[in-house]
Amino acid sequence: MTEKEEFIEKLKKRTKKFAVDVISLCETLKNSKATPVVTYQLIKSSSSTGANYRAACRSRSKAEFFSKICIVVEEADESEYWLEIIQDADLSNKKDELKRLLKEANELTKIMTKAKNSSYGK
């Protein structure tokens, strides 16, 4: 396996773990009127990050890759947004895990943005 292939596989696992960890966090959130809406949106965006990254990896053309990776960037950034909402609304007692997931969402957004930018115009 090449270094690039290893990186891709690690990123597939990382995005999947991110979604699973987000689901676990959502199971522990405080009950409020906002919690179902926030958890629904966050679970959708975090799981879509990994699903669309996998789709990008299977793309049939550079244009299709670019299109899918743009979606990945949007979904990772949206995940960070919803995690910030949880933080700002004080919906979680798991402050350390929330902080870790915010960092992970930010890192994934940066990685995917770099992939998007480096593929643009090629």
Side-chain angles (χ1 to χ4, degrees):
M1 188 178 287
T2 68
E3 191 175 318
K4 182 179 178 180
E5 290 169 334
E6 283 181 31
F7 179 80
I8 289 168
E9 287 306 310
K10 284 182 184 176
L11 205 48
K12 283 181 183 179
K13 289 177 183 173
R14 186 172 173 180
T15 56
K16 184 177 178 181
K17 181 179 181 351
F18 176 65
V20 170
D21 291 350
V22 162
I23 291 168
S24 295
L25 176 74
C26 288
E27 293 295 329
T28 69
L29 295 180
K30 298 174 186 174
N31 278 333
S32 78
K33 289 183 180 181
T35 302
V37 174
V38 172
T39 57
Y40 175 76
Q41 293 292 345
L42 176 55
I43 290 170
K44 273 183 56 179
S45 62
S46 65
S47 58
S48 182
T49 299
N52 280 291
Y53 178 68
R54 290 174 70 115
C57 292
R58 292 188 311 273
S59 61
R60 295 164 291 190
S61 68
K62 290 176 184 178
E64 186 177 359
F65 174 82
F66 183 76
S67 176
K68 291 292 182 184
I69 208 73
C70 286
I71 294 168
V72 176
V73 171
E74 290 176 23
E75 297 294 346
D77 185 58
E78 183 179 334
S79 297
E80 187 175 2
Y81 171 81
W82 290 114
L83 289 164
E84 289 170 357
I85 294 294
I86 289 169
Q87 183 178 52
D88 294 353
D90 194 31
L91 294 176
S92 177
N93 291 321
K94 297 194 168 203
K95 306 296 184 202
D96 290 342
E97 179 64 358
L98 179 57
K99 186 177 177 180
R100 184 186 73 77
L101 288 171
L102 275 162
K103 183 179 180 216
E104 180 69 352
N106 182 266
E107 287 178 10
L108 289 170
T109 301
K110 287 179 180 178
I111 292 166
M112 300 306 179
T113 299
K114 187 167 183 169
K116 178 188 92 161
N117 292 343
S118 66
S119 70
Y120 183 75
K122 285 189 175 180

